[in-house]
Structures are given as C-alpha cells and as structure tokens.
Amino acid sequence: MLIPGCSSMRQSHKGNYGYQRIESGLFHNVKCSWLHSCRCQQSESASGISTENVNGAWFVDSAQKFNPINGVVNGPDVLEIQDVQQLKQEKEGLASSGAHGTIRDAPHKISNDSIEDEAWDLLRESVVYYCGSPIGTIAAKDPTSSNVLNYDQVFIRDFIPSGIAFLLKGEYDIVRNFILHTLQLQSWEKTMDCHSPGQGLMPASFKVRTVPLDGDDSATEEVLDPDFGEAAIGRVAPVDSGLWWIILLRAYGKCSGDLSVQERVDVQTGIKMILRLCLADGFDMFPTLLVTDGPCMIDRRMGIHGHPLEIQALFYSALLCAREMLAPEDGSADLIRAMNNRLVALSFHIREYYWVDLRKLNEIYRYKTEEYSYDAVNKFNIYPDQISPWLVEWMPNKGGYLIGNLQPAHMDFRFFSLGNLWSVVSSLTTRDQSHAILDLIEAKWADLVADMPLKICYPALEGQEWQIITGSDPKNTHWSYHNAGSWPTLLWQLTAACIKMNRPEIAAKAVEVAERRISRDKWPEYYDTKRGRFIGKQSRLFQTWSIAGYLVAKLLLADPSKAKILITEEDSSLVNAFSCMISSNPRRKRGLKNLKQTYIV
Ligand code: GLC
C-alpha cells in the first residue's frame, strides 16, 4: 500500500541552515500543511492565466514566408517524397502497434498544431508524482531503450524548460512543488568517500522511490532520493542546478504573480546558501566561477574545466535574479554587497576577455607575450599560435561570440551555444555583443543549425585532440553528443535570446527546421553528424527536454512578451559601475581600485 502524502527523509538535516528551515515550521509537517494547499491551488490554477495571442505573435507557420538564411534551408513545409512515404509507413506502424505516435494531417504537410498537441501529451505523460502531487518530469520516457541509467530521474536542469512550459500554460503547481521539494534536498547530508561538498549544492537529479515503511513490512512510503553527483557517471558536481533553481524561482514569481514562495523564510535561506557557496573566497584570481569538468549540461569530460562560459552565464543570471528576490534585511547587507561587486567584475571580465570577433582575433594574432607588468596588454599570456586554423576561416566579417573558457595561457575558442545564448538573455553581453552573437548564428547557420537546431558547441574535437581532451570517450566522438552534437532542447534558449534582441524571426526559422523531423524522429535527445542528419548514436527517444524546449519556443514565439519571465535587463547601477571601469582603461590601470571608490551599494 502506498502511503499518500508521505515525505520521510531518509537522512538527517545537517548544519544550521537545515535546522533553521525545520524551525520555521514549513517542512516538518509536509504531509498535512502545504501538500494540501497545493491541491487547492491546483483547481485555482486550472482556470488561471493562459497564453493569449497578442499582436506581434510570431507563429512558426507564418515564418514560412521568411527568406532562407544563407540559402541553406529548404522549402519550408514541403516534404520530400521519401519523407512522405516514411511518414505514411510510420503512421500505419504506430497505429497498429498502439504506440504513442505522431499525429499528422494531410501527407504533404505536417500540421504544426498537431506536433504541438503531441508534445503537450508527451510532456504530461512525463510528469512524476510524489505523494499524489506533480513534482517534476522524467528525463526520458523511451520505450525502446533497455538501458535506463538515470534517465528515469527528474533532472533539475532538464526540468527548467518543462517548468517554463507549464508556467506559460498557467499551470503553476508543478513548478511550485518542484521548487519547494528540491529545496528540501539542498540540505541533505551528502558525502562521497567521506567527503561532503558545500552546503548549498543542489542535486543533479532525484528519483521518487517507493520503500517499505519502517517497522511495517506490509506498508510502503514514497521518498525522494537525490543524486548530488555521488552516483553520477564520472562523479561530476552539478554546479548549474542551484543556478537554474534560482532562475526558475524568479520566473515562477513573475509568471504566476505569487511572490509568497520566494518570500518564504526557507526559500530565502535556500537562495542565500546557493549564493554563499558560489561567492565563497578561494584561490581564484578571476571573478568567474572555477569548476571541474562536466559541471553543467555537458556533464562528461569535455575539457571545459576551469571557467566555462555556460556556468558564468548562469552564475551572472542567478545573481541578478537573486538580487531581485532577496528580502532586504540587516543580515543580508554583506551578501548583497558581495553580489553587486561580483556582478560588475564578472560582466567586465566576460565582456572584455571572453569576446572575440575578427578585430579581436587580429589583436590576439599580434599579441606580445611574456609581459611581466601591471599594465600588460596580453594579461593572460596567450600565445598567438593558439588561434586555431579553423577559427581564422570560420569567423565571419560581421558577428562575434564569447569563447568557451579562459585560463592562464589558454583560450578555448570553441563556440558553446548555451553559454552564448544565456549571456544574451541575462544581459551579460552588451547590446552590440548580443546582436553580434545573433549575427554569427545567422552567418553560420549551416554549421550551427543545419538539419537540426542547435549544435551544443562548434567545432568537434577530433583525432588526437579528442583522445587527449575527452580521454577517448566513445560517447563523445566527433559531431556526436556533447562533442558538437545537435540538441533540440536548445531551441528555447535560442528563442528567448532572439526575442530579447527583437529578432524572433531567427528562432522561428530554427523551430521550423526542427518541426520537419522532430516528431517523426520521436523527439530524440540529440542528433549526430556535422549537419545533424542522424538521430544520435546513443540518443534517447521521447527525451522530455527536447519536447519541452520545443514547446517553450512555440509558446514564446506566440507571445514574445512572455519572455520577460526569463530575461534580465542590465540595471543602471551596473551600467554606471561598468562605464567607470572602462573609462579607467583596463589595459593600463590595475584592478578594481576606481570601482571600489565609486560604486556604493
Ligand atoms: C545527459 C546530459 C545532461 C542531462 C541528462 C539527462 O547526461 O548530458 O545534460 O541533464 O542527460 O537528460
């Protein structure tokens, strides 16, 4: 028998924060208090806000009239004969097997509405319940895969597009439950070989398990079982989880209008724990977060250890979101001051040192090296020979991007999509840089979008470089998986970035490319090959964040104003502090001296 409304914690809370949370009386009686109120809210939210079509909506169907970018994209809705045949066969096959099939209308045209309906059905089927309430979505529900690994879990990062899709649909409960339950997991006692990571760490994923009830063999209860990386392949720490959690929390408040969640004492404590972990002093010389390999969406060895862009963009975004949500109180003054200083230093560092375009490349090409001095131009001692031959050819005349990583004597020139897109969404990049990133995506459409949006990074590591950097990882061979595979989930971040810069037509075009195959291919996790032509070698089918990423892109294009729940604008205090740093000429002056005098929090 399953005990409904149960929430037994297998392990004890640890440290002050855990106890504080229990003392606040918000969780020790999970069973009765808030799960009940969730159920009440469920009925309220069913009649709540729904996505409206407003003027300026970008329907993907209407994107068919756009000119192909770079002439790469084929005619929009006419399927090739073989596609139609395959479609017909598949339709028949699926109908006879009773499997969850794709829904299509006339054989010559895929109905985008049907794809959307199918996506919603699949997203709802992926919902995971805990004690009777929706709490998240499973990573993949692939009936063809025998090797489940941890794809039957709720991943924090994978849930973000699901959560946003539900928010945009006016279904708030699942997001609220997710936020509050994952918060509970933050205080879990976690160890790996007797070592505990920092207190504010959020798990990569969790699973709802049904276990025998203590002392009663005939009964069972449901428990949440988190994985902080101690079971994950490679034991990677999920640095991005807490950052995404903060971003989702703000989106929840903005979309639902319910600020009571972010105002709760335990939630405020949770935000502070994540921030304190990120802002803790270490050995770092840079304002960027120092992490090991695989700390984010790329959760395997891919040579992104150090200061990878994706983490920096999420860190910046989470700092801005948290600053908006933290209640002003005496106890947080130091924290808010530290956040403000970090925001300025981080944006300066990324805008100045991560940025490359043709002009900057030429500058690097002519760098002098071994400059021992406070006013070195080549601060990180980059040897010009590091400019890879591919980049000289690849960099367009118009456009630019943020590099993947910067360390002493090392620039990782690979283009990482998520880091660049989220830098646009969060205003980590300047307006000009943001436009230049979109210019580059347009100019390099055949490399980054091609037959399926969007490459996770570009280019692929090959040969000896692949051997050395990935450790000869057979899953990350060139143009596959994290090594420049194509990930449909990235559509939603692309769409948010395009809408922020008022260029939604770029995202609409990419959505249209995805719509030609994504449903027919059964919503794969990723695609392989240089043009993204094959379903990935080990790709799961019915991968939830591919489904949700597509839905969020569609919902945002239908009502671009909704993107504001994700976007953060640069505020004037940051702009002032930043221009103050620029005018102090970073190439000449040392450190943040000027800033510290002028930037008063
Ligand atoms: C893979 C991906 C990771 C994702 C997980 C679940 O490990 O690399 O980003 O969260 O699958 O989908």
Side-chain angles (χ1 to χ4, degrees), residues 4-66:
C6 52
S7 151
S8 111
M9 296 178 40
R10 275 193 307 136
Q11 299 170 42
S12 62
H13 276 291
K14 184 181 109 173
N16 290 339
Y17 294 117
Y19 290 122
Q20 231 173 311
R21 198 168 288 158
I22 288 174
E23 275 160 22
S24 72
L26 295 160
F27 272 114
H28 64 299
N29 206 1
V30 180
K31 205 186 286 186
C32 311
S33 54
W34 77 260
L35 278 178
H36 266 215
S37 70
C38 279
R39 288 198 188 112
C40 300
Q41 279 203 352
Q42 237 163 5
S43 50
E44 274 165 30
S45 64
S47 59
I49 304 168
S50 63
T51 311
E52 284 173 9
N53 298 333
V54 293
N55 286 343
W58 279 90
F59 293 106
V60 175
D61 283 344
S62 70
Q64 288 162 358
K65 64 179 181 288
F66 300 143

Side-chain angles (χ1 to χ4, degrees), residues 394-412:
W394 199 67
M395 183 66 83
N397 289 330
K398 187 176 171 220
Y401 68 95
L402 297 170
I403 59 169
N405 214 321
L406 175 69
Q407 322 239 42
H410 174 71
M411 286 176 117
D412 182 345

Side-chain angles (χ1 to χ4, degrees), residues 428-482:
L428 175 55
T429 38
T430 64
R431 213 186 121 69
D432 286 352
Q433 288 175 337
S434 298
H435 275 299
I437 290 170
L438 298 187
D439 290 342
L440 178 124
I441 291 174
E442 283 195 300
K444 296 291 155 188
W445 193 260
D447 292 326
L448 300 175
V449 178
D451 289 356
M452 180 54 69
L454 186 67
K455 282 263 159 48
I456 196 169
C457 63
Y458 184 93
L461 300 168
E462 302 192 49
Q464 213 180 18
E465 224 181 0
W466 165 77
Q467 280 174 1
I468 295 168
I469 294 176
T470 72
S472 302
D473 182 351
K475 199 163 177 186
N476 273 335
T477 50
H478 57 281
W479 310 110
S480 179
Y481 202 45
H482 300 139

Side-chain angles (χ1 to χ4, degrees), residues 56-176:
W58 279 90
F59 293 106
V60 175
D61 283 344
S62 70
Q64 288 162 358
K65 64 179 181 288
F66 300 143
N67 289 330
I69 296 170
N70 269 5
V72 168
V73 180
N74 300 323
D77 57 354
V78 184
L79 293 171
E80 288 165 17
I81 293 171
Q82 74 199 50
D83 289 343
V84 175
Q85 267 164 2
Q86 192 177 337
L87 233 167
K88 271 172 81 181
Q89 278 165 8
E90 220 178 331
K91 210 172 155 188
E92 283 155 16
L94 283 168
S96 61
S97 69
H100 212 296
T102 52
I103 309 157
R104 311 213 188 265
D105 53 10
H108 291 287
K109 185 179 185 302
I110 300 172
S111 155
N112 295 343
D113 287 349
S114 306
I115 299 178
E116 233 177 302
D117 290 347
E118 185 202 5
W120 272 114
D121 288 346
L122 292 169
L123 184 62
R124 291 191 198 291
E125 277 174 29
S126 75
V127 170
V128 171
Y129 292 84
Y130 175 58
C131 302
S133 296
I135 192 189
T137 48
I138 196 173
K141 217 168 178 206
D142 182 353
T144 63
S145 172
S146 52
N147 192 6
V148 172
L149 293 176
N150 51 357
Y151 283 85
D152 61 348
Q153 306 209 1
V154 179
F155 276 74
I156 308 300
R157 73 175 72 84
D158 293 40
F159 180 72
I160 307 303
S162 300
I164 303 292
F166 284 121
L167 287 179
L168 295 175
K169 202 66 173 172
E171 296 174 28
Y172 307 134
D173 282 358
I174 184 171
V175 181
R176 184 178 190 274

